[in-house]
């Protein structure tokens, strides 16, 4: 296979028109982040276990964390709808 003037690094640097070094770098970065995410997930699981052993309700903690990520108006709207639905069901 003949090399053209733009492919100075040879066939190993580009395979099928893809810059192999760049691709390898991207894949390795993703793999490192996936490992970090796995470690963080394990840490979070440990914290929930600690909370449970301290007597906290993990389901409620998860709800609190989800709510803290939302805007106040969004939370208020959900609580209003929940109240309307409860009344409709006679709760």
């Amino acid at each position: 296979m003949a090399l053209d003037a733009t492919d100075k690094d040879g066939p190993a640097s580009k395979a099928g028109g893809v810059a192999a070094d760049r691709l390898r770098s991207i894949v390795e970065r993703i793999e490192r982040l996936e490992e970090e995410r796995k470690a963080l997930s394990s840490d979070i699981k440990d914290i929930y276990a600690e909370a449970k052993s301290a007597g906290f309700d993990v389901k409620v903690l998860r709800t609190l964390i989800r709510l803290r990520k939302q805007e106040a108006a969004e939370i208020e709207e959900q609580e209003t709808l929940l109240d309307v639905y409860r009344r409709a069901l006679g709760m």
Side-chain angles (χ1 to χ4, degrees):
M1 179 175 167
L3 298 177
D4 63 73
T6 60
D7 192 6
K8 296 177 185 173
D9 296 326
S13 67
K14 288 193 176 187
V18 175
D21 290 339
R22 179 75 172 141
L23 177 60
R24 184 175 296 108
S25 171
I26 290 170
V27 168
E28 288 171 354
R29 286 170 42 209
I30 292 170
E31 289 172 339
R32 276 193 305 275
L33 290 172
E34 290 287 345
E35 284 299 317
E36 287 178 30
R37 179 168 48 188
K38 185 177 177 182
L40 288 172
S41 291
S42 177
D43 291 346
I44 291 169
K45 183 178 177 182
D46 291 345
I47 294 170
Y48 278 117
E50 177 185 338
K52 184 175 182 176
S53 69
F56 293 102
D57 187 314
V58 172
K59 187 176 179 180
V60 173
L61 284 174
R62 290 184 190 277
T63 301
L64 279 173
I65 291 168
R66 181 179 47 80
L67 288 172
R68 286 172 52 103
K69 293 177 185 178
Q70 297 176 351
E71 297 290 326
E74 189 178 357
I75 294 170
E76 187 177 333
E77 179 182 344
Q78 287 179 358
E79 289 175 349
T80 300
L81 282 173
L82 183 58
D83 188 45
V84 168
Y85 291 177
R86 282 183 180 153
R87 289 180 190 198
L89 294 174
M91 297 175 68

